[in-house]
Amino acid sequence: MIRKEMIAMLLAGGQGSRLGVLTSKVAKPAIAFGGKYRIIDFPLSNCINSGVDTVGVLTQYQPLRLNTHIGIGIPWDLDRNIGGVSILPPYEKSTSSEWYTGTANAIYQNLEYMEYYNPEYVLILGGDHIYKMDYEVMLEFHKANNADITLATIPVPIEEASRFGIVITDDKKQIQEFEEKPKEPRSNLASMGIYIFKWEVLRDALIKLKDQPGCDFGKHIIPYCHEKGDRIFAYEYNGYWKDVGTLASYWKANMELIDLVPVFNLYEEFWKIYTKSEVIPPQYIAENAVAERSIIGEGAEIYGSVYNSVIGSGVTIQAGTVVRDSIIMNSTEIGENCTINKAIIAENVNIGNDVELGCGEEVPNKVKPDIYIEGLVTIGENSIIPSGVKVGKNTAISGHTTKDDYEEDLLASGESLIKAGER
Amino acid sequence: MRAIGIILAGGNSNKMQGLSDKRAIAAMPIAGGYRSIDFVLSNMSNSHIQKVGIFTQYNSKSLNEHLNSSKWWDFGRKQGGLFVFTPTITSDNSYWYRGTADAIAQNISFLKKSHEPYVVIASGDGIYKLDYNKVLEYHIEKKADITVVTKLMPESVDCSRFGCIHTDMNGRIEEFEEKPIVSTSNMISVGVYIVRRRQLIEFLEKAVSEERYDFVNDIIVRYKNLKKIYAYPLETYWNNIATVDAYYKTNMDFLKPDIRHYFFKEYPDVYSKVEDLPPAKYNQGSKVKNSLVSSGCIINGEVTNSILFKKAYIGNNCVIRNSIILNDVYIGDNAYIENCIVESRDTIRANTTYIGQKDKINVVIERNERYVL
């Protein structure tokens, strides 16, 4: 008989619209991070490193990349006879068919999966955070308190607390109150969106609230359980944890990896991050190339100069090109004599010769001023940038662009160039 | 593919100056991220050979570690797979493998239980890409008993450490001298053979019953006039790594764009065991020129015309020139290394200098306690 102590349900279906053109073709968890990883590698690696060997990955938005990345789970040792990783897309039922309408709704639609493994505890995870966390320690905390639900929380600066779900606990860490994005926060303990449930408690709540439209953990399940008197505890996590849901935070989290001794250190032996690695020739740094304060992925070929940047696997940077403060994802090719400043360039992008990215004054983006910020140039995957053009700050480009798309060979700061058929 | 594969990976060499003290030659690291045996394993996988026996003996530990899962080369199938044969004590004998032929003969049931009509035998220390199907087609077309893959080496190379071959107009081998005192031909055997399986069983049983144990000397050379033995010329890149000089040159070849392109970007791929290592990190002050750098490296100093294998740490103000740094090497600050091969898992102390000559590469084997990073 199958009985797992704890299984994980990993929510990886979200689009992540605050990442702009980066997520126009892939789900946020599938976005490249740190030169060779994808965001979902972090929770998946945490699972296997914590001894959680049964993981359901809930997908919905643009799942192809995620599916091919996860496969049967070999890179994370999650190819198991019993358990392992399962991809759980929405499916049609005899009486209804609906997409996942909220985080809890998605879990509810996969009750059968959880029932099959007959767990004592269910761990609910998001697929969009960068962190290393031992869920087993959290489970011990959960058991020690005989909790029904344990939330992982992290202290945040009090002035930023109004951006988070904030919990107020007593001195035994039992949760007294929640406030979703409070105007005047009374505590600085923010929920990380990581929950451990007693399986019966989760099942009962999901069934009770199954008709709730857009059923969500933060908005519905936790308040419901709190109201009916379940024992909810806050597990305080103090390590590195980063929500990479915005372009600015995504850029910053990548840049932090470059520090001489990064706070989030990928080079530690004891908590490895696993990812699907293709066949891996080493990288080549050419005779006249420069690579300084950067991390560079496998198979990259650098003929130009790279400063303060994160370069993905299989990237080619030709001679005369200078890349600064940028993130360049896998398999992108950059031509000769380009200047790339503070850009996020997605996968398989092709940039011609003599291109300048990130020039001019900084003005807010005209279409999405709260997404394309901090002077970043963001280029969606599979885009083509023709030779000889200049691109300003706070800009976004997606699709196959030609010289005709650039007035006087310039995309001014604050403009977006999204080709038809793209979002 | 209508063949099974046999990889001979048992050897060591006294020409390796200590580099093979702790590993079989087939396990020697190549091109930053691979091991020698990856090339033959990938060739077998890419030729759709599904069942492969690997015969190891000498220092097989690191080879076995590398082969811990057959899935890296896509052999992890229900049909076929990788079979590693180390010497074992049986009811009949308690010998080590007394030679290449003996190694296979002691495990003759592997051959007898297979049903594929042909056998591809290859050594584990060649660096090349080859579709064995093409050799098999040639073998069938020539109605050969044995086909030997050959390579025409440049005139400048001394071929006396190889098997030297003379053929007739049709490619039939007339003369095969194993490791001649003076090489008489620049056509050498690359150590890849195709034989019909039943024929091979016959050869092996006869040889061993006569207490002859070497595949080349006691089968190929002995039968060269009795059986039809043909040479299949390999025209693409091939190198063997069984001397320090050859090992150094083969690695350095990967700094050439055409060779890198041929192995890494052209179909088919070379596979290897995937390790989970972070991207290489270049800190302030790093100066890297014309070098291959593998995952997990952290570089602070200067690296020129060199190959850094996985997880090398290069300290501040170091200078590394024309050198090969094998995996897991820590190099302390201000070290100077030129024309050297630094053995894996070494610690080079700060302020030390190692200099070899262009025609005499210095093999550095340090046994210091590892610095704590």
Side-chain angles (χ1 to χ4, degrees), chain A residues 36 267 279 283-284 293-294, chain B residues 270 277 279 282 286 289-290:
Chain A
K36 68 177 286 193
Y267 295 79
V279 188
Q283 57 200 262
Y284 177 70
R293 296 190 314 277
S294 295
Chain B
V270 181
L277 296 171
Y282 299 80
S286 74
K289 307 281 175 202
N290 189 36

Side-chain angles (χ1 to χ4, degrees), chain B residues 30-226:
Chain B
I30 296 287
Y34 303 86
R35 284 173 186 265
S36 169
I37 200 170
D38 289 333
F39 291 82
V40 62
L41 281 169
S42 302
N43 287 337
M44 296 238 170
S45 179
N46 290 325
S47 304
H48 308 293
I49 295 176
Q50 292 188 331
K51 185 175 178 188
V52 175
I54 302 176
F55 293 83
T56 68
Q57 171 156 295
Y58 173 79
N59 244 348
S60 56
K61 191 181 91 160
S62 69
L63 199 55
N64 287 340
E65 270 173 31
H66 186 63
L67 299 171
N68 76 341
S69 170
S70 56
K71 66 186 168 191
W72 311 121
W73 304 272
D74 225 358
F75 285 118
R77 306 285 141 201
K78 278 193 173 173
Q79 308 279 327
L82 281 188
F83 300 82
V84 180
F85 297 101
T86 41
T88 51
I89 292 179
T90 65
S91 56
D92 304 330
N93 71 50
S94 58
Y95 299 121
W96 288 87
Y97 297 149
R98 288 161 291 185
T100 46
D102 188 42
I104 311 171
Q106 284 196 29
N107 299 285
I108 200 94
S109 63
F110 175 71
L111 289 180
K112 287 185 170 170
K113 280 194 291 192
S114 300
H115 55 82
E116 290 83 351
Y118 296 97
V119 183
V120 175
I121 303 174
S123 67
D125 59 1
I127 308 303
Y128 64 110
K129 277 186 181 182
L130 176 60
D131 183 351
Y132 299 123
N133 289 300
K134 288 188 181 148
V135 189
L136 182 58
E137 273 169 34
Y138 176 90
H139 179 83
I140 292 167
E141 183 200 324
K142 294 283 186 191
K143 297 193 173 66
D145 292 303
I146 303 176
T147 297
V148 177
V149 179
T150 59
K151 173 85 187 165
L152 200 58
M153 297 300 273
E155 292 293 333
S156 57
V157 175
D158 171 23
C159 292
S160 62
R161 72 182 175 98
F162 300 111
C164 293
I165 288 171
H166 291 271
T167 63
D168 67 12
M169 299 284 286
N170 292 319
R172 186 170 169 176
I173 293 178
E174 291 178 318
E175 200 52 61
F176 188 126
E177 266 190 288
E178 179 69 351
K179 298 184 180 128
I181 293 165
V182 178
S183 72
T184 53
S185 161
N186 274 60
M187 184 190 272
I188 60 151
S189 161
V190 306
V192 176
Y193 320 100
I194 287 191
V195 200
R196 204 154 46 79
R197 184 172 54 87
R198 290 185 171 283
Q199 175 80 76
L200 178 62
I201 292 169
E202 231 173 77
F203 282 148
L204 290 169
E205 286 183 335
K206 182 154 178 16
V208 170
S209 71
E210 294 166 354
E211 298 188 4
R212 293 172 185 269
Y213 303 119
D214 185 65
F215 187 78
V216 174
N217 282 319
D218 298 328
I219 293 175
I220 294 184
V221 176
R222 270 187 97 211
Y223 282 97
K224 69 176 188 290
N225 298 323
L226 294 173

Side-chain angles (χ1 to χ4, degrees), chain A residues 122-353:
Chain A
V122 178
L123 171 69
I124 310 283
L125 299 172
D128 48 5
H129 297 135
I130 305 297
Y131 65 116
K132 297 178 185 174
M133 181 169 164
D134 191 339
Y135 304 130
E136 208 168 11
V137 176
M138 182 172 164
L139 179 62
E140 274 161 23
F141 174 87
H142 181 84
K143 287 181 190 164
N145 286 307
N146 189 27
D148 294 307
I149 306 171
T150 299
L151 267 73
T153 57
I154 189 161
V156 294
I158 191 83
E159 55 272 18
E160 285 181 37
S162 59
R163 295 200 291 124
F164 295 91
I166 295 297
V167 299
I168 291 145
T169 63
D170 64 11
D171 51 5
K172 294 201 173 74
K173 296 292 171 196
Q174 185 164 1
I175 289 177
Q176 305 298 313
E177 276 180 73
F178 293 97
E179 292 176 328
E180 188 67 18
K181 297 184 181 156
K183 283 216 174 65
E184 284 175 22
R186 288 182 287 151
S187 128
N188 69 336
L189 265 193
S191 167
M192 297 161 67
I194 297 167
Y195 313 99
I196 290 177
F197 280 83
K198 270 188 185 155
W199 162 230
E200 297 77 23
V201 172
L202 176 65
R203 186 178 53 196
D204 294 349
L206 290 173
I207 291 171
K208 211 36 136 274
L209 297 180
K210 69 181 158 63
D211 295 323
Q212 170 72 44
C215 191
D216 183 86
F217 277 97
K219 286 196 201 102
H220 306 108
I221 298 282
I222 302 290
Y224 165 81
C225 291
H226 185 52
E227 222 158 274
K228 87 175 159 75
D230 284 341
R231 289 168 62 80
I232 308 181
F233 281 79
Y235 169 74
E236 197 177 315
Y237 174 76
N238 281 304
Y240 182 98
W241 177 80
K242 200 119 212 171
D243 180 333
V244 288
T246 66
L247 286 175
S249 63
Y250 173 82
W251 181 80
K252 190 154 181 282
N254 271 283
M255 289 301 135
E256 283 170 357
L257 299 172
I258 299 165
D259 295 344
L260 189 59
V261 180
V263 179
F264 188 74
N265 196 340
L266 294 168
Y267 295 79
E268 285 166 345
E269 289 282 341
F270 62 88
W271 200 267
K272 276 194 177 178
I273 305 300
Y274 304 96
T275 188
K276 180 182 173 182
S277 295
E278 317 255 318
V279 188
I280 34 158
Q283 57 200 262
Y284 177 70
I285 312 292
E287 184 68 46
N288 297 311
V290 178
E292 230 185 324
R293 296 190 314 277
S294 295
I295 58 176
I296 300 180
E298 293 145 350
E301 300 209 346
I302 311 293
Y303 299 92
S305 304
V306 178
Y307 301 94
N308 218 35
S309 295
V310 174
I311 309 293
S313 306
V315 168
T316 307
I317 295 174
Q318 296 294 0
T321 290
V322 180
V323 176
R324 279 179 203 278
D325 305 320
S326 295
I327 299 163
I328 298 172
M329 298 185 209
N330 308 350
S331 308
T332 279
E333 302 210 353
I334 301 181
E336 291 172 5
N337 302 318
C338 296
T339 306
I340 313 284
N341 278 318
K342 215 175 174 187
I344 302 176
I345 303 175
E347 296 175 44
N348 287 312
V349 171
N350 201 314
I351 295 180
N353 300 329

